[in-house]
Amino acid sequence: MGWAIALHGGAGDIPRSLPPERRIPREAALRHCLDIGVVALKANKHPLDVVELVVRELENIPNYNAGRGSVLTTAGTVEMEACIMDGKTKKCGAVSGLTTVVNPISLARLVMEKTSHIYLAFDGAEAFAREQGVETVDPSHFITQENIERLNQAKEANRVQIDYTQPIQKEVKAETHIADGDSQIGTVGCVAVDNHGNLATATSTGGLVNKMVGRIGDTPIIGSGTYANRLCAVSATGKGEEIIRGTVARDVAALMEFKGLSLKEAAAYVVEESTPKGNVGLVAVSATGEVTMAFNTTGMFRACATEDGYTEIGIWPSPQT
């Protein structure tokens, strides 16, 4: 048994031709946030504190679709959501429809710790944020030029689409690949376990480019995009509606609990057998320090580290997988 941590920045049809100006900052952010998490675990921080810390940092980096980098709805607004869960107690908190909260993941934790509820959304969540004194800003803070361009592109194509798709060049429009579906590439998440087997998970997202106002994805739904118990902690990413249908995060835990599968076996079954190809990725850790990062999409921005010295940072499948 030993500590372990894994994080993701979204899974989807990530082209290997992804331009360096979009790839390199995201890789650097993964490395930076992984380092923050490792330092915290080595300092004996509780995994709940670790995953919140890491996801807060990811929310503050505009290269991912969460917090500062959240993509825009069809109305040109942001609607952020997040979820956090403690494995030992199964305490959890979730929020949706946030428009002014700088760090949705911390508001989700406050829902968990300061209310008798699990999930607050839209006006109620915003009012709770003001009551708790969390940092809020004008909604324009979250509206970046890059995300305006993504929204305009999605509207032109009449699609809900992944957030990294390149702007359409009119002269080559007919040859430009426009991603169909609703994958959440850019969603961020972190899972961690300490030396005592304490587990926690956290996930945060801005949702989908050109999504309907009011749409809620898998991220804040316990057992779909986010779940932890005494055996494992899971954070999922991909096509939200498919993850909800498949109760992806809970299924990993259930296979361990009721079928006796290892973490890697359970994650592999959920990703490769029970979820349609091209729809999901996840990161997970077990109470014994096992870690896995599985996906059935073209790629997943991901990173992990364990106490025994193993570290991995990647986007596309590694040669041995």
Side-chain angles (χ1 to χ4, degrees):
M1 180 183 295
W3 60 258
I5 184 172
L7 53 144
H8 69 74
D13 186 18
I14 307 171
R16 289 185 179 269
S17 60
L18 189 68
E21 63 269 21
R22 297 202 176 189
R23 174 180 55 80
I24 293 173
R26 290 182 175 192
E27 289 177 324
L30 288 176
R31 186 172 291 105
H32 168 68
C33 292
L34 180 64
D35 290 344
I36 288 174
V38 168
V39 169
L41 282 170
K42 287 181 176 179
N44 297 315
K45 298 288 186 183
H46 191 281
L48 201 61
D49 297 324
V50 175
V51 297
E52 180 188 6
L53 179 68
V54 170
V55 170
R56 277 179 63 95
E57 190 69 14
L58 285 163
E59 288 174 338
N60 293 336
I61 297 171
N63 303 109
Y64 284 110
N65 175 18
R68 179 72 175 90
S70 293
V71 298
L72 306 181
T73 70
T74 186
T77 57
V78 294
E79 290 184 353
M80 299 171 285
E81 49 194 22
C83 184
I84 193 167
M85 187 168 187
D86 176 71
K88 184 168 289 186
T89 65
K90 290 189 181 178
K91 289 183 178 179
C92 48
V95 288
S96 281
L98 300 181
T99 60
T100 69
V101 176
V102 173
N103 291 115
I105 196 62
S106 292
L107 188 64
R109 185 167 183 179
L110 287 170
V111 171
M112 178 183 76
E113 294 181 340
K114 302 294 186 181
T115 80
S116 60
H117 306 309
I118 289 175
Y119 196 166
L120 294 180
F122 297 93
D123 290 347
E126 286 283 339
F128 178 67
R130 292 191 293 272
E131 291 171 7
Q132 294 297 311
V134 303
E135 185 180 3
T136 58
V137 293
D138 187 88
S140 62
H141 167 80
F142 302 101
I143 300 176
T144 66
Q145 184 59 42
E146 186 173 23
N147 281 332
I148 291 173
E149 293 172 1
R150 287 169 174 157
L151 177 61
N152 290 338
Q153 177 195 359
K155 284 180 175 291
E156 183 175 347
N158 193 28
R159 301 284 180 93
V160 174
Q161 65 184 39
I162 51 184
D163 81 333
Y164 61 78
T165 307
Q166 298 300 296
I168 298 172
Q169 302 298 318
K170 294 186 182 300
E171 64 271 17
V172 295
K173 181 176 178 181
E175 299 176 6
T176 302
H177 172 71
I178 301 298
D180 198 1
D182 56 1
S183 73
Q184 289 183 334
I185 179 65
T187 292
V188 302
C190 181
V191 293
V193 60
D194 65 15
N195 286 309
H196 304 290
N198 296 307
L199 291 149
T201 178
T203 316
S204 183
T205 189
L208 312 174
V209 183
N210 202 29
K211 67 180 180 179
M212 291 176 64
V213 171
R215 180 264 187 187
I216 293 172
D218 66 287
T219 291
I221 298 178
I222 302 300
S224 293
T226 311
Y227 188 76
N229 64 5
R230 62 181 176 81
L231 297 174
C232 67
V234 184
S235 176
T237 178
K239 295 186 178 179
E241 278 68 15
E242 290 294 342
I243 293 171
I244 293 170
R245 292 186 186 104
T247 58
V248 165
R250 171 58 185 158
D251 272 14
V252 174
L255 286 167
M256 295 180 69
E257 183 175 358
F258 301 121
K259 298 289 286 185
L261 300 187
S262 70
L263 178 73
K264 290 186 178 180
E265 290 170 339
Y269 181 86
V270 169
V271 169
E272 296 169 13
E273 302 294 335
S274 66
T275 309
K277 185 174 177 59
N279 285 280
V280 68
L282 62 83
V283 294
V285 292
S286 72
T288 58
E290 189 179 13
V291 61
T292 190
M293 303 187 291
F295 53 98
N296 65 17
T297 54
T298 304
M300 179 172 72
F301 289 94
R302 65 194 188 277
C304 73
T306 62
E307 188 172 17
D308 63 10
Y310 179 77
T311 299
E312 179 184 342
I313 298 173
I315 302 174
W316 299 284
S318 50
Q320 65 268 27
T321 60

